[in-house]
PDB file of all heavy atoms in Angstrom:
ATOM      1  N   THR S   1      -1.608   5.513 -68.449  1.00  0.00           N
ATOM      2  CA  THR S   1      -2.175   6.798 -68.817  1.00  0.00           C
ATOM      3  C   THR S   1      -1.927   6.993 -70.371  1.00  0.00           C
ATOM      4  O   THR S   1      -0.643   6.986 -70.787  1.00  0.00           O
ATOM      5  CB  THR S   1      -1.428   7.917 -68.056  1.00  0.00           C
ATOM      6  OG1 THR S   1      -1.827   7.820 -66.730  1.00  0.00           O
ATOM      7  CG2 THR S   1      -1.989   9.340 -68.502  1.00  0.00           C
ATOM      8  N   LEU S   2      -2.965   7.162 -71.204  1.00  0.00           N
ATOM      9  CA  LEU S   2      -2.831   7.238 -72.524  1.00  0.00           C
ATOM     10  C   LEU S   2      -2.604   8.628 -73.039  1.00  0.00           C
ATOM     11  O   LEU S   2      -2.074   8.977 -74.124  1.00  0.00           O
ATOM     12  CB  LEU S   2      -3.987   6.625 -73.336  1.00  0.00           C
ATOM     13  CG  LEU S   2      -4.344   5.103 -72.927  1.00  0.00           C
ATOM     14  CD1 LEU S   2      -5.617   4.733 -73.661  1.00  0.00           C
ATOM     15  CD2 LEU S   2      -3.189   4.247 -73.403  1.00  0.00           C
ATOM     16  N   ALA S   3      -3.312   9.669 -72.330  1.00  0.00           N
ATOM     17  CA  ALA S   3      -3.243  11.015 -72.705  1.00  0.00           C
ATOM     18  C   ALA S   3      -3.437  11.924 -71.606  1.00  0.00           C
ATOM     19  O   ALA S   3      -4.203  11.562 -70.764  1.00  0.00           O
ATOM     20  CB  ALA S   3      -4.144  11.270 -73.939  1.00  0.00           C
ATOM     21  N   VAL S   4      -2.873  13.189 -71.631  1.00  0.00           N
ATOM     22  CA  VAL S   4      -3.291  14.229 -70.756  1.00  0.00           C
ATOM     23  C   VAL S   4      -4.159  15.187 -71.532  1.00  0.00           C
ATOM     24  O   VAL S   4      -3.814  15.660 -72.598  1.00  0.00           O
ATOM     25  CB  VAL S   4      -2.041  14.945 -70.233  1.00  0.00           C
ATOM     26  CG1 VAL S   4      -2.430  16.120 -69.318  1.00  0.00           C
ATOM     27  CG2 VAL S   4      -1.149  14.023 -69.508  1.00  0.00           C
ATOM     28  N   LEU S   5      -5.370  15.464 -71.076  1.00  0.00           N
ATOM     29  CA  LEU S   5      -6.335  16.225 -71.766  1.00  0.00           C
ATOM     30  C   LEU S   5      -6.430  17.648 -71.178  1.00  0.00           C
ATOM     31  O   LEU S   5      -6.594  17.755 -69.999  1.00  0.00           O
ATOM     32  CB  LEU S   5      -7.722  15.587 -71.693  1.00  0.00           C
ATOM     33  CG  LEU S   5      -7.769  14.057 -72.134  1.00  0.00           C
ATOM     34  CD1 LEU S   5      -9.112  13.516 -71.847  1.00  0.00           C
ATOM     35  CD2 LEU S   5      -7.387  13.846 -73.572  1.00  0.00           C
ATOM     36  N   PRO S   6      -6.194  18.671 -71.956  1.00  0.00           N
ATOM     37  CA  PRO S   6      -6.219  20.138 -71.516  1.00  0.00           C
ATOM     38  C   PRO S   6      -7.654  20.420 -71.032  1.00  0.00           C
ATOM     39  O   PRO S   6      -8.632  19.944 -71.759  1.00  0.00           O
ATOM     40  CB  PRO S   6      -5.704  20.872 -72.674  1.00  0.00           C
ATOM     41  CG  PRO S   6      -6.030  19.979 -73.939  1.00  0.00           C
ATOM     42  CD  PRO S   6      -5.779  18.573 -73.490  1.00  0.00           C
ATOM     43  N   SER S   7      -7.730  21.042 -69.983  1.00  0.00           N
ATOM     44  CA  SER S   7      -9.164  21.585 -69.443  1.00  0.00           C
ATOM     45  C   SER S   7      -9.646  22.572 -70.408  1.00  0.00           C
ATOM     46  O   SER S   7      -8.938  23.555 -70.831  1.00  0.00           O
ATOM     47  CB  SER S   7      -8.970  22.033 -68.080  1.00  0.00           C
ATOM     48  OG  SER S   7     -10.215  22.555 -67.671  1.00  0.00           O
ATOM     49  N   PRO S   8     -10.903  22.515 -70.768  1.00  0.00           N
ATOM     50  CA  PRO S   8     -11.635  23.586 -71.455  1.00  0.00           C
ATOM     51  C   PRO S   8     -11.985  24.788 -70.575  1.00  0.00           C
ATOM     52  O   PRO S   8     -12.370  25.898 -71.129  1.00  0.00           O
ATOM     53  CB  PRO S   8     -12.876  22.842 -71.993  1.00  0.00           C
ATOM     54  CG  PRO S   8     -13.256  21.889 -70.899  1.00  0.00           C
ATOM     55  CD  PRO S   8     -11.799  21.445 -70.430  1.00  0.00           C
ATOM     56  N   ARG S   9     -11.735  24.706 -69.402  1.00  0.00           N
ATOM     57  CA  ARG S   9     -12.115  25.693 -68.323  1.00  0.00           C
ATOM     58  C   ARG S   9     -10.990  26.502 -67.896  1.00  0.00           C
ATOM     59  O   ARG S   9      -9.860  25.955 -67.855  1.00  0.00           O
ATOM     60  CB  ARG S   9     -12.876  25.181 -67.171  1.00  0.00           C
ATOM     61  CG  ARG S   9     -14.030  24.271 -67.547  1.00  0.00           C
ATOM     62  CD  ARG S   9     -14.624  23.584 -66.258  1.00  0.00           C
ATOM     63  NE  ARG S   9     -15.019  24.619 -65.225  1.00  0.00           N
ATOM     64  CZ  ARG S   9     -15.193  24.312 -64.042  1.00  0.00           C
ATOM     65  NH1 ARG S   9     -15.017  22.968 -63.553  1.00  0.00           N
ATOM     66  NH2 ARG S   9     -15.514  25.097 -63.155  1.00  0.00           N
ATOM     67  N   ARG S  10     -11.280  27.861 -67.577  1.00  0.00           N
ATOM     68  CA  ARG S  10     -10.198  28.686 -66.960  1.00  0.00           C
ATOM     69  C   ARG S  10     -10.764  29.394 -65.796  1.00  0.00           C
ATOM     70  O   ARG S  10     -11.933  29.688 -65.852  1.00  0.00           O
ATOM     71  CB  ARG S  10      -9.559  29.672 -68.027  1.00  0.00           C
ATOM     72  CG  ARG S  10      -8.833  28.958 -69.195  1.00  0.00           C
ATOM     73  CD  ARG S  10      -8.443  29.995 -70.343  1.00  0.00           C
ATOM     74  NE  ARG S  10      -7.703  31.023 -69.846  1.00  0.00           N
ATOM     75  CZ  ARG S  10      -6.265  30.870 -69.920  1.00  0.00           C
ATOM     76  NH1 ARG S  10      -5.734  29.813 -70.249  1.00  0.00           N
ATOM     77  NH2 ARG S  10      -5.546  31.848 -69.600  1.00  0.00           N
ATOM     78  N   TRP S  11      -9.978  29.781 -64.873  1.00  0.00           N
ATOM     79  CA  TRP S  11     -10.406  30.607 -63.859  1.00  0.00           C
ATOM     80  C   TRP S  11      -9.548  31.694 -63.448  1.00  0.00           C
ATOM     81  O   TRP S  11      -8.234  31.558 -63.735  1.00  0.00           O
ATOM     82  CB  TRP S  11     -10.925  29.819 -62.578  1.00  0.00           C
ATOM     83  CG  TRP S  11      -9.664  29.313 -61.797  1.00  0.00           C
ATOM     84  CD1 TRP S  11      -9.067  30.031 -60.840  1.00  0.00           C
ATOM     85  CD2 TRP S  11      -9.102  28.052 -61.825  1.00  0.00           C
ATOM     86  NE1 TRP S  11      -8.084  29.240 -60.196  1.00  0.00           N
ATOM     87  CE2 TRP S  11      -8.099  28.028 -60.879  1.00  0.00           C
ATOM     88  CE3 TRP S  11      -9.322  26.891 -62.684  1.00  0.00           C
ATOM     89  CZ2 TRP S  11      -7.232  26.941 -60.699  1.00  0.00           C
ATOM     90  CZ3 TRP S  11      -8.516  25.857 -62.469  1.00  0.00           C
ATOM     91  CH2 TRP S  11      -7.446  25.821 -61.386  1.00  0.00           C
ATOM     92  N   ARG S  12      -9.995  32.676 -62.738  1.00  0.00           N
ATOM     93  CA  ARG S  12      -8.997  33.832 -62.397  1.00  0.00           C
ATOM     94  C   ARG S  12      -8.499  33.596 -60.958  1.00  0.00           C
ATOM     95  O   ARG S  12      -9.289  33.414 -60.103  1.00  0.00           O
ATOM     96  CB  ARG S  12      -9.759  35.106 -62.420  1.00  0.00           C
ATOM     97  CG  ARG S  12      -8.947  36.442 -62.206  1.00  0.00           C
ATOM     98  CD  ARG S  12      -9.681  37.731 -62.590  1.00  0.00           C
ATOM     99  NE  ARG S  12     -10.062  37.722 -64.025  1.00  0.00           N
ATOM    100  CZ  ARG S  12      -9.252  38.181 -64.889  1.00  0.00           C
ATOM    101  NH1 ARG S  12      -8.008  38.563 -64.626  1.00  0.00           N
ATOM    102  NH2 ARG S  12      -9.572  38.265 -66.182  1.00  0.00           N
ATOM    103  N   HIS S  13      -7.265  33.690 -60.932  1.00  0.00           N
ATOM    104  CA  HIS S  13      -6.538  33.422 -59.505  1.00  0.00           C
ATOM    105  C   HIS S  13      -5.835  34.629 -59.149  1.00  0.00           C
ATOM    106  O   HIS S  13      -5.032  35.251 -59.819  1.00  0.00           O
ATOM    107  CB  HIS S  13      -5.554  32.381 -59.729  1.00  0.00           C
ATOM    108  CG  HIS S  13      -4.604  32.133 -58.566  1.00  0.00           C
ATOM    109  ND1 HIS S  13      -5.171  31.660 -57.373  1.00  0.00           N
ATOM    110  CD2 HIS S  13      -3.344  32.351 -58.422  1.00  0.00           C
ATOM    111  CE1 HIS S  13      -4.109  31.509 -56.505  1.00  0.00           C
ATOM    112  NE2 HIS S  13      -2.935  32.003 -57.085  1.00  0.00           N
ATOM    113  N   ALA S  14      -6.205  35.139 -57.967  1.00  0.00           N
ATOM    114  CA  ALA S  14      -5.529  36.383 -57.365  1.00  0.00           C
ATOM    115  C   ALA S  14      -4.301  36.001 -56.595  1.00  0.00           C
ATOM    116  O   ALA S  14      -4.347  35.103 -55.649  1.00  0.00           O
ATOM    117  CB  ALA S  14      -6.522  37.134 -56.505  1.00  0.00           C
ATOM    118  N   ALA S  15      -3.100  36.605 -56.854  1.00  0.00           N
ATOM    119  CA  ALA S  15      -1.952  36.472 -56.078  1.00  0.00           C
ATOM    120  C   ALA S  15      -1.404  37.785 -55.655  1.00  0.00           C
ATOM    121  O   ALA S  15      -1.569  38.779 -56.236  1.00  0.00           O
ATOM    122  CB  ALA S  15      -0.952  35.725 -56.972  1.00  0.00           C
ATOM    123  N   THR S  16      -0.713  37.761 -54.391  1.00  0.00           N
ATOM    124  CA  THR S  16      -0.054  38.937 -53.996  1.00  0.00           C
ATOM    125  C   THR S  16       1.307  39.291 -54.613  1.00  0.00           C
ATOM    126  O   THR S  16       2.122  38.497 -54.935  1.00  0.00           O
ATOM    127  CB  THR S  16       0.245  38.771 -52.465  1.00  0.00           C
ATOM    128  OG1 THR S  16      -1.008  38.414 -51.757  1.00  0.00           O
ATOM    129  CG2 THR S  16       0.747  39.955 -51.844  1.00  0.00           C
ATOM    130  N   ARG S  17       1.393  40.539 -54.979  1.00  0.00           N
ATOM    131  CA  ARG S  17       2.601  40.992 -55.591  1.00  0.00           C
ATOM    132  C   ARG S  17       3.339  41.948 -54.566  1.00  0.00           C
ATOM    133  O   ARG S  17       3.007  43.192 -54.295  1.00  0.00           O
ATOM    134  CB  ARG S  17       2.331  41.812 -56.842  1.00  0.00           C
ATOM    135  CG  ARG S  17       3.636  42.314 -57.551  1.00  0.00           C
ATOM    136  CD  ARG S  17       3.276  43.500 -58.581  1.00  0.00           C
ATOM    137  NE  ARG S  17       2.337  43.057 -59.615  1.00  0.00           N
ATOM    138  CZ  ARG S  17       1.847  43.934 -60.436  1.00  0.00           C
ATOM    139  NH1 ARG S  17       2.076  45.200 -60.328  1.00  0.00           N
ATOM    140  NH2 ARG S  17       1.117  43.480 -61.433  1.00  0.00           N
ATOM    141  N   SER S  18       4.368  41.451 -53.873  1.00  0.00           N
ATOM    142  CA  SER S  18       4.983  42.189 -52.727  1.00  0.00           C
ATOM    143  C   SER S  18       5.783  43.456 -53.229  1.00  0.00           C
ATOM    144  O   SER S  18       6.046  44.261 -52.501  1.00  0.00           O
ATOM    145  CB  SER S  18       5.852  41.225 -51.980  1.00  0.00           C
ATOM    146  OG  SER S  18       6.876  40.746 -52.903  1.00  0.00           O
ATOM    147  N   THR S  19       6.148  43.517 -54.451  1.00  0.00           N
ATOM    148  CA  THR S  19       6.986  44.562 -54.964  1.00  0.00           C
ATOM    149  C   THR S  19       6.230  45.748 -55.555  1.00  0.00           C
ATOM    150  O   THR S  19       6.775  46.633 -56.101  1.00  0.00           O
ATOM    151  CB  THR S  19       7.968  44.107 -56.021  1.00  0.00           C
ATOM    152  OG1 THR S  19       7.293  43.498 -57.131  1.00  0.00           O
ATOM    153  CG2 THR S  19       8.986  43.048 -55.411  1.00  0.00           C
ATOM    154  N   SER S  20       4.818  45.562 -55.580  1.00  0.00           N
ATOM    155  CA  SER S  20       4.071  46.650 -56.205  1.00  0.00           C
ATOM    156  C   SER S  20       3.134  47.366 -55.139  1.00  0.00           C
ATOM    157  O   SER S  20       2.721  46.772 -54.211  1.00  0.00           O
ATOM    158  CB  SER S  20       3.189  45.896 -57.234  1.00  0.00           C
ATOM    159  OG  SER S  20       2.268  46.898 -57.677  1.00  0.00           O
ATOM    160  N   ALA S  21       3.010  48.589 -55.337  1.00  0.00           N
ATOM    161  CA  ALA S  21       2.192  49.403 -54.432  1.00  0.00           C
ATOM    162  C   ALA S  21       0.750  48.989 -54.636  1.00  0.00           C
ATOM    163  O   ALA S  21      -0.059  49.124 -53.758  1.00  0.00           O
ATOM    164  CB  ALA S  21       2.366  50.861 -54.751  1.00  0.00           C
ATOM    165  N   ALA S  22       0.378  48.405 -55.789  1.00  0.00           N
ATOM    166  CA  ALA S  22      -0.933  47.954 -56.104  1.00  0.00           C
ATOM    167  C   ALA S  22      -1.289  46.825 -55.159  1.00  0.00           C
ATOM    168  O   ALA S  22      -2.480  46.584 -54.843  1.00  0.00           O
ATOM    169  CB  ALA S  22      -1.179  47.703 -57.567  1.00  0.00           C
ATOM    170  N   GLY S  23      -0.313  45.962 -54.827  1.00  0.00           N
ATOM    171  CA  GLY S  23      -0.550  44.910 -53.932  1.00  0.00           C
ATOM    172  C   GLY S  23      -1.088  43.518 -54.478  1.00  0.00           C
ATOM    173  O   GLY S  23      -0.819  42.579 -53.903  1.00  0.00           O
ATOM    174  N   ARG S  24      -1.717  43.569 -55.626  1.00  0.00           N
ATOM    175  CA  ARG S  24      -2.363  42.408 -56.041  1.00  0.00           C
ATOM    176  C   ARG S  24      -2.177  42.391 -57.667  1.00  0.00           C
ATOM    177  O   ARG S  24      -2.196  43.396 -58.280  1.00  0.00           O
ATOM    178  CB  ARG S  24      -3.889  42.316 -55.735  1.00  0.00           C
ATOM    179  CG  ARG S  24      -4.108  42.171 -54.232  1.00  0.00           C
ATOM    180  CD  ARG S  24      -5.569  41.956 -53.921  1.00  0.00           C
ATOM    181  NE  ARG S  24      -5.977  40.576 -54.433  1.00  0.00           N
ATOM    182  CZ  ARG S  24      -5.891  39.551 -53.466  1.00  0.00           C
ATOM    183  NH1 ARG S  24      -5.295  39.696 -52.402  1.00  0.00           N
ATOM    184  NH2 ARG S  24      -6.296  38.379 -53.923  1.00  0.00           N
ATOM    185  N   ILE S  25      -2.130  41.235 -58.133  1.00  0.00           N
ATOM    186  CA  ILE S  25      -2.156  41.014 -59.693  1.00  0.00           C
ATOM    187  C   ILE S  25      -3.084  39.837 -59.965  1.00  0.00           C
ATOM    188  O   ILE S  25      -3.001  38.829 -59.134  1.00  0.00           O
ATOM    189  CB  ILE S  25      -0.715  40.817 -60.142  1.00  0.00           C
ATOM    190  CG1 ILE S  25      -0.687  40.640 -61.715  1.00  0.00           C
ATOM    191  CG2 ILE S  25      -0.019  39.568 -59.550  1.00  0.00           C
ATOM    192  CD1 ILE S  25       0.650  40.597 -62.259  1.00  0.00           C
ATOM    193  N   ASP S  26      -3.801  39.884 -60.976  1.00  0.00           N
ATOM    194  CA  ASP S  26      -4.692  38.762 -61.403  1.00  0.00           C
ATOM    195  C   ASP S  26      -3.962  37.974 -62.367  1.00  0.00           C
ATOM    196  O   ASP S  26      -3.374  38.448 -63.365  1.00  0.00           O
ATOM    197  CB  ASP S  26      -6.050  39.331 -61.975  1.00  0.00           C
ATOM    198  CG  ASP S  26      -6.929  39.769 -60.907  1.00  0.00           C
ATOM    199  OD1 ASP S  26      -6.827  39.482 -59.737  1.00  0.00           O
ATOM    200  OD2 ASP S  26      -7.781  40.705 -61.203  1.00  0.00           O
TER     201      ASP S  26
END
């Protein structure tokens, strides 16, 4: 392996926040 190439793409991932009344955080 000569190099690790950063991805040019990004995506939005939704995860649960158990300590918040809102319930979710992006």
Side-chain angles (χ1 to χ4, degrees):
T1 298
L2 301 179
V4 177
L5 308 176
S7 172
R9 303 172 59 198
R10 294 169 66 85
W11 76 83
R12 187 170 293 278
H13 170 71
T16 300
R17 182 199 295 171
S18 59
T19 58
S20 170
R24 299 184 69 85
I25 182 172
D26 286 337

